[in-house]
Amino acid sequence: VEGLDLERYAAAWRGTIARHDMLRSVVRPDGQMQVLAEVPEFAIPVLDLRGQEPADVLAALESRCAELSVQVLRADVWPVFDVRATRMDGDRIRIHVSFDGLMHDLWSQRLILGEVARRYDDPAAAWPELTLTFRDYRLAQRACEATPRWQRAREYWLGRLDALPPPPELPLARASGTITRPHFVRRCVRLPQATWSRLVERSAKASLTSSGLLLAAFSDVLATWSRVPQFTLSLTIFDRVP
């Protein structure tokens, strides 16, 4: 970002933290989650790289990124997220954000970062107090789990467990069980807009979602390399109750 006011940005974070109880939450050693009534004033540590050689700046940025990408925060120590800043020449600032999936899923992260951005743009804006908490949500989920429909679904999937095939058996350079700290690399290919639009249109005519279509293509690639063609893929889902 160019021209970012870091104190104003930190204030936007403090307002968001005060409004969302899960941003003040920890998991105690006994496994119980606790929302802290008060937390220390949130501050953003700054690494100043102004005046450094471009190669040194790049190396420092890559080092900081590598550190945060494998960071495992203590769940019983607040905050269970990490925000840092790197200051560079030309009034440029790089913001580094590390979330722990234990506390915030990807959807939540987008909501949080979106609110921080809006608070930064308009510090005087009034924000309504949230009337529902994560505890309310979990109690509602538990109530759903007591319904006959939920129990039927649970029994259905438990009955299928023994018949579900194993995960793909892929040729690996080393056994996954021997890797103590996995490192993930994102692969990205972009389709031209016109190609993607035609693909979405054709899948809709076949009553398929674009996500389902991509998953089928991904499964075909895995089947090409898997020792056995029948396998099970498990997916992360948001499953956010309305």
Side-chain angles (χ1 to χ4, degrees):
V1 185
E2 288 189 9
L4 183 75
D5 183 331
L6 262 180
E7 178 48 40
R8 178 170 158 182
Y9 184 68
W13 268 99
R14 289 193 286 269
T16 305
I17 290 167
R19 185 167 180 256
H20 294 271
D21 61 342
M22 281 303 290
L23 288 175
R24 304 188 310 278
S25 295
V26 295
V27 179
R28 302 184 316 202
D30 63 2
Q32 295 293 307
M33 194 185 85
Q34 179 181 4
V35 176
L36 303 176
E38 295 182 359
V39 294
E41 182 173 272
F42 184 72
I44 300 177
V46 181
L47 174 64
D48 195 339
L49 297 179
R50 288 176 294 184
Q52 303 288 324
E53 293 294 327
D56 295 332
V57 172
L58 180 61
L61 289 172
E62 290 180 343
S63 174
R64 184 161 251 199
C65 181
E67 176 191 351
L68 291 178
S69 69
V70 296
Q71 176 178 243
V72 180
L73 296 164
R74 284 186 56 179
D76 61 336
V77 176
W78 185 87
V80 193
F81 56 92
D82 193 354
V83 183
R84 307 182 194 181
T86 301
R87 195 182 291 278
M88 295 170 284
D89 289 335
D91 200 20
R92 292 179 302 135
I93 292 179
R94 173 82 57 92
I95 297 293
H96 315 261
V97 182
S98 171
F99 282 110
D100 194 312
L102 177 68
M103 294 296 200
H104 326 102
D105 65 5
L106 183 59
W107 193 322
S108 300
Q109 294 166 23
R110 289 174 176 171
L111 291 174
I112 292 165
L113 293 175
E115 179 169 329
V116 169
R118 292 193 298 274
R119 284 179 180 272
Y120 179 87
D121 290 338
D122 188 0
W127 289 81
E129 183 178 349
L130 297 176
T131 57
L132 289 178
T133 67
F134 181 71
R135 180 178 183 275
D136 296 323
Y137 185 89
R138 277 299 295 135
L139 291 175
Q141 276 188 318
R142 288 182 182 177
C144 289
E145 292 169 6
T147 62
R149 181 180 177 183
W150 193 93
Q151 292 294 333
R152 286 197 303 271
R154 181 176 185 274
E155 291 169 4
Y156 169 81
W157 285 107
L158 286 177
R160 288 195 60 185
L161 278 183
D162 291 340
L164 290 176
E169 295 185 32
L170 301 172
L172 304 175
R174 57 186 290 193
S176 58
T178 65
I179 302 174
T180 56
R181 177 168 287 186
H183 176 68
F184 297 93
V185 177
R186 177 172 296 177
R187 307 292 184 188
C188 181
V189 174
R190 292 187 179 274
L191 292 176
Q193 179 65 46
T195 303
W196 175 247
S197 296
R198 290 198 305 271
L199 200 57
V200 171
E201 183 181 349
R202 290 183 62 181
S203 61
K205 289 180 180 178
S207 299
L208 297 172
T209 65
S210 53
S211 297
L213 184 68
L214 293 175
L215 181 61
F218 180 59
S219 299
D220 270 353
V221 174
L222 291 180
T224 301
W225 293 95
S226 177
R227 191 176 66 84
V228 290
Q230 295 296 319
F231 51 81
T232 297
L233 294 181
S234 58
L235 304 178
T236 54
I237 59 172
F238 289 121
D239 194 27
R240 296 169 77 97
V241 179

